[in-house]
mmCIF file of all heavy atoms in Angstrom:
data_model
loop_
_atom_site.group_PDB
_atom_site.id
_atom_site.type_symbol
_atom_site.label_atom_id
_atom_site.label_comp_id
_atom_site.label_asym_id
_atom_site.label_seq_id
_atom_site.Cartn_x
_atom_site.Cartn_y
_atom_site.Cartn_z
ATOM 1 N N ILE A 69 -31.748 -6.789 14.994
ATOM 2 C CA ILE A 69 -32.859 -5.860 15.254
ATOM 3 C C ILE A 69 -34.185 -6.591 15.107
ATOM 4 O O ILE A 69 -35.082 -6.452 15.940
ATOM 5 C CB ILE A 69 -32.773 -4.643 14.308
ATOM 6 C CG1 ILE A 69 -31.548 -3.798 14.648
ATOM 7 C CG2 ILE A 69 -34.045 -3.802 14.382
ATOM 8 C CD1 ILE A 69 -31.174 -2.790 13.581
ATOM 9 N N LEU A 73 -37.088 -7.092 17.921
ATOM 10 C CA LEU A 73 -38.457 -6.630 17.663
ATOM 11 C C LEU A 73 -39.450 -7.771 17.856
ATOM 12 O O LEU A 73 -40.527 -7.576 18.442
ATOM 13 C CB LEU A 73 -38.580 -6.056 16.246
ATOM 14 C CG LEU A 73 -37.802 -4.779 15.944
ATOM 15 C CD1 LEU A 73 -37.964 -4.397 14.482
ATOM 16 C CD2 LEU A 73 -38.243 -3.646 16.852
ATOM 17 N N ALA A 84 -41.412 -0.163 16.779
ATOM 18 C CA ALA A 84 -40.192 -0.636 16.131
ATOM 19 C C ALA A 84 -39.123 0.456 16.132
ATOM 20 O O ALA A 84 -37.963 0.197 16.463
ATOM 21 C CB ALA A 84 -40.493 -1.089 14.706
ATOM 22 N N ALA A 85 -39.513 1.681 15.777
ATOM 23 C CA ALA A 85 -38.552 2.787 15.738
ATOM 24 C C ALA A 85 -38.003 3.090 17.132
ATOM 25 O O ALA A 85 -36.797 3.299 17.297
ATOM 26 C CB ALA A 85 -39.208 4.031 15.138
ATOM 27 N N ALA A 88 -35.554 0.366 18.157
ATOM 28 C CA ALA A 88 -34.276 0.538 17.462
ATOM 29 C C ALA A 88 -33.479 1.692 18.067
ATOM 30 O O ALA A 88 -32.255 1.590 18.223
ATOM 31 C CB ALA A 88 -34.504 0.777 15.972
ATOM 32 N N GLY A 125 -29.695 4.160 10.239
ATOM 33 C CA GLY A 125 -29.795 2.830 9.633
ATOM 34 C C GLY A 125 -30.613 1.866 10.472
ATOM 35 O O GLY A 125 -31.441 1.122 9.951
ATOM 36 N N TRP A 126 -30.400 1.852 11.788
ATOM 37 C CA TRP A 126 -31.150 0.950 12.672
ATOM 38 C C TRP A 126 -32.620 1.328 12.719
ATOM 39 O O TRP A 126 -33.488 0.462 12.660
ATOM 40 C CB TRP A 126 -30.548 0.947 14.073
ATOM 41 C CG TRP A 126 -29.274 0.168 14.187
ATOM 42 C CD1 TRP A 126 -28.378 -0.113 13.187
ATOM 43 C CD2 TRP A 126 -28.743 -0.422 15.359
ATOM 44 N NE1 TRP A 126 -27.328 -0.843 13.687
ATOM 45 C CE2 TRP A 126 -27.518 -1.046 15.013
ATOM 46 C CE3 TRP A 126 -29.169 -0.482 16.685
ATOM 47 C CZ2 TRP A 126 -26.729 -1.724 15.929
ATOM 48 C CZ3 TRP A 126 -28.377 -1.155 17.605
ATOM 49 C CH2 TRP A 126 -27.175 -1.777 17.228
ATOM 50 N N VAL A 127 -32.924 2.620 12.796
ATOM 51 C CA VAL A 127 -34.330 3.046 12.848
ATOM 52 C C VAL A 127 -35.021 2.759 11.521
ATOM 53 O O VAL A 127 -36.142 2.232 11.492
ATOM 54 C CB VAL A 127 -34.444 4.530 13.255
ATOM 55 C CG1 VAL A 127 -35.865 5.043 13.082
ATOM 56 C CG2 VAL A 127 -33.972 4.720 14.702
ATOM 57 N N VAL A 128 -34.375 3.066 10.413
ATOM 58 C CA VAL A 128 -34.965 2.777 9.098
ATOM 59 C C VAL A 128 -35.196 1.272 8.947
ATOM 60 O O VAL A 128 -36.260 0.840 8.479
ATOM 61 C CB VAL A 128 -34.073 3.330 7.960
ATOM 62 C CG1 VAL A 128 -34.456 2.746 6.609
ATOM 63 C CG2 VAL A 128 -34.143 4.841 7.920
ATOM 64 N N SER A 129 -34.235 0.469 9.352
ATOM 65 C CA SER A 129 -34.385 -0.992 9.269
ATOM 66 C C SER A 129 -35.574 -1.468 10.089
ATOM 67 O O SER A 129 -36.361 -2.298 9.624
ATOM 68 C CB SER A 129 -33.118 -1.696 9.783
ATOM 69 O OG SER A 129 -32.029 -1.398 8.972
ATOM 70 N N ALA A 130 -35.696 -0.957 11.295
ATOM 71 C CA ALA A 130 -36.811 -1.356 12.164
ATOM 72 C C ALA A 130 -38.150 -0.941 11.561
ATOM 73 O O ALA A 130 -39.126 -1.705 11.612
ATOM 74 C CB ALA A 130 -36.639 -0.740 13.550
ATOM 75 N N ILE A 131 -38.195 0.230 10.976
ATOM 76 C CA ILE A 131 -39.438 0.690 10.338
ATOM 77 C C ILE A 131 -39.800 -0.225 9.180
ATOM 78 O O ILE A 131 -40.951 -0.627 9.030
ATOM 79 C CB ILE A 131 -39.311 2.166 9.908
ATOM 80 C CG1 ILE A 131 -39.309 3.069 11.148
ATOM 81 C CG2 ILE A 131 -40.415 2.556 8.940
ATOM 82 C CD1 ILE A 131 -38.949 4.515 10.872
ATOM 83 N N VAL A 132 -38.813 -0.553 8.341
ATOM 84 C CA VAL A 132 -39.083 -1.458 7.215
ATOM 85 C C VAL A 132 -39.559 -2.806 7.745
ATOM 86 O O VAL A 132 -40.544 -3.377 7.228
ATOM 87 C CB VAL A 132 -37.840 -1.617 6.313
ATOM 88 C CG1 VAL A 132 -38.039 -2.734 5.287
ATOM 89 C CG2 VAL A 132 -37.505 -0.296 5.619
ATOM 90 N N LEU A 133 -38.906 -3.332 8.766
ATOM 91 C CA LEU A 133 -39.327 -4.619 9.340
ATOM 92 C C LEU A 133 -40.754 -4.553 9.876
ATOM 93 O O LEU A 133 -41.490 -5.548 9.812
ATOM 94 C CB LEU A 133 -38.359 -5.051 10.447
ATOM 95 C CG LEU A 133 -36.962 -5.466 10.009
ATOM 96 C CD1 LEU A 133 -36.043 -5.624 11.209
ATOM 97 C CD2 LEU A 133 -37.003 -6.739 9.169
ATOM 98 N N SER A 134 -41.165 -3.405 10.395
ATOM 99 C CA SER A 134 -42.513 -3.271 10.960
ATOM 100 C C SER A 134 -43.596 -3.393 9.895
ATOM 101 O O SER A 134 -44.750 -3.683 10.214
ATOM 102 C CB SER A 134 -42.663 -1.957 11.719
ATOM 103 O OG SER A 134 -42.801 -0.849 10.844
#
Side-chain angles (χ1 to χ4, degrees):
I69 293 165
L73 294 177
W126 284 25
V127 170
V128 165
S129 296
I131 289 170
V132 170
L133 290 170
S134 76

